[in-house]
Amino acid sequence: MEALLPFLKNRKSIGFVPTMGALHVGHVSLVEQASIENDCVVVSIFVNPTQFDNPTDLQKYPRTIENDIAHLKRFSKNIFIFSPNASDLYNQNISSKHYDYSGIEHEMEGKHRIGHFDGVGTVLNLFFRIVKPDRAYLGEKDFQQLQIVKKLVEIENLPVKVVGCPIVRESSGLAMSSRNKRLNPEQLNEAVLIYKTLLKVKENFKLLSISKLNQLVEKEFKNHPYLSLEYFEIADTETLKTTIYKSKKKNYRGFIACFIGGVRLIDNMALN
Ligand code: AMP
């Protein structure tokens, strides 16, 4: 990226926010943090084909580049948008490299979206080598992805600090997501159940066993007219392995993936 050369030459710091566009306030919070901590910020807007396991999801993914540019214009700092096309970025070979992320890739999203984290690793490795950021900002909204990217920079030996940023929610509690743009007002209302259920699990975390907490979640989603649960797991924050027993020494998060009207949403919450 030629525009970054003066920053690289003068050893100015570069913050990087990788996104798939359809920007919302959650994305903007990452850009805000990056612009506070760096001399300039690169925001990539790229719907990465290699991380989609479902062609319909890829095709229907919202693309709102004009709006995205408007969202970023209000920043006074040096902001660069990087929005390559797939064949240029991948040099005509749109495929993933396989990564061994020490097992994290086999949990949750990895189980349900085959090849997803290979696609994420491949595209971010390309981006990191082009942008050469000092810091990369990723949301805890995709908590497993955040852990994967921390591993990726170790594997690829990249001098990038990966910074995790808190989940930004609508006033209803629903986690902001580009995919929310595909929901109608009724579905948006119903989707708040994801947040409410995670909150219920958190409130009952000390009182109930893991199996009782799992049952509680299943009950919330059972026979729901709009939402269907793909998975709920309580996992160790470090390893992301599903837990059956609680240990006082460990930190846990609850993770939900579900469908509403054909749209797949994920969310998670720290439980202790
Ligand atoms: P995406 O465009 O969905 O690939 O997301 C780009 C980045 O924004 C990822 O690091 C996400 O984790 C992060 N992100 C998406 N939604 C939110 C949110 N509601 N709060 C915080 N970060 C988010």
Side-chain angles (χ1 to χ4, degrees):
M1 284 189 78
E2 239 167 72
L4 293 176
L5 285 178
F7 291 90
L8 289 166
K9 249 192 212 156
N10 296 313
R11 296 182 175 271
K12 300 280 186 196
S13 59
I14 299 174
F16 178 44
V17 181
T19 82
M20 297 204 296
L23 299 186
H24 50 68
V25 176
H27 295 117
V28 171
S29 74
L30 308 191
V31 181
E32 257 158 16
Q33 190 168 337
S35 74
I36 290 167
E37 296 176 1
N38 299 278
D39 296 312
C40 72
V41 179
V42 177
V43 181
S44 63
I45 296 177
F46 179 64
V47 183
N48 174 34
T50 64
Q51 72 188 68
F52 282 79
D53 60 329
N54 176 343
T56 312
D57 190 26
L58 172 60
Q59 188 211 335
K60 292 197 169 169
Y61 199 86
R63 289 158 171 91
T64 62
I65 189 78
E66 299 300 322
N67 258 333
D68 294 349
I69 294 169
H71 256 298
L72 296 173
K73 268 212 171 125
R74 62 190 186 83
F75 285 91
S76 53
K77 239 204 172 138
N78 294 307
I79 303 275
F80 299 95
I81 298 175
F82 182 35
S83 187
N85 69 47
S87 53
D88 287 347
L89 183 69
Y90 280 93
N91 208 0
Q92 310 292 333
N93 177 22
I94 304 177
S95 63
S96 296
K97 173 174 169 182
H98 177 64
Y99 283 100
D100 175 351
Y101 302 101
S102 315
I104 315 176
E105 73 276 22
H106 302 308
E107 307 299 324
M108 300 185 285
E109 291 299 283
K111 252 185 243 165
H112 293 272
R113 302 184 70 188
I114 303 301
H116 173 63
F117 290 126
D118 282 341
V120 169
T122 304
V123 77
L124 287 182
N125 182 38
L126 288 169
F127 278 146
F128 287 155
R129 287 173 194 280
I130 296 167
V131 176
K132 299 184 180 59
D134 296 277
R135 300 178 193 87
Y137 296 80
L138 287 105
E140 289 184 345
K141 159 77 169 43
D142 301 277
F143 193 84
Q144 190 175 8
Q145 172 175 272
L146 171 62
Q147 305 298 79
I148 289 274
V149 178
K150 285 181 179 165
K151 274 265 178 284
L152 174 76
V153 300
E154 271 175 43
I155 297 168
E156 294 284 357
N157 203 13
L158 294 162
V160 183
K161 182 174 184 239
V162 178
V163 182
C165 306
I167 301 174
V168 178
R169 299 179 178 281
E170 303 286 354
S171 55
S172 64
L174 176 66
M176 290 191 181
S177 165
S178 303
R179 289 187 173 86
N180 292 352
K181 294 191 168 74
R182 293 181 52 200
L183 303 180
N184 66 33
E186 199 175 2
Q187 289 168 330
L188 274 173
N189 253 342
E190 297 292 334
V192 179
L193 181 74
I194 305 166
Y195 170 70
K196 287 192 172 153
T197 305
L198 285 170
L199 209 55
K200 222 179 218 179
V201 173
K202 187 185 173 90
E203 283 160 7
N204 287 285
F205 189 69
K206 274 196 185 141
L207 294 171
L208 300 181
S209 67
I210 298 285
S211 73
K212 284 270 183 290
L213 291 166
N214 288 336
Q215 282 168 24
L216 179 156
V217 174
E218 272 162 33
K219 208 171 137 209
E220 292 290 333
F221 280 82
K222 203 172 171 202
N223 302 326
H224 193 282
Y226 296 100
L227 286 146
S228 80
L229 186 64
E230 184 172 51
Y231 66 77
F232 168 71
E233 296 198 13
I234 295 176
D236 179 327
T237 309
E238 286 291 306
T239 62
L240 295 186
K241 291 216 175 302
T242 312
T243 191
I244 324 174
Y245 302 107
K246 288 181 264 184
S247 155
K248 285 211 171 89
K249 290 182 197 143
K250 291 187 171 167
N251 291 318
Y252 297 102
R253 289 182 95 95
F255 294 84
I256 284 184
C258 69
F259 285 93
I260 177 160
V263 179
R264 187 172 184 277
L265 299 178
I266 60 171
D267 197 357
N268 70 89
M269 192 178 279
L271 300 177
N272 63 337

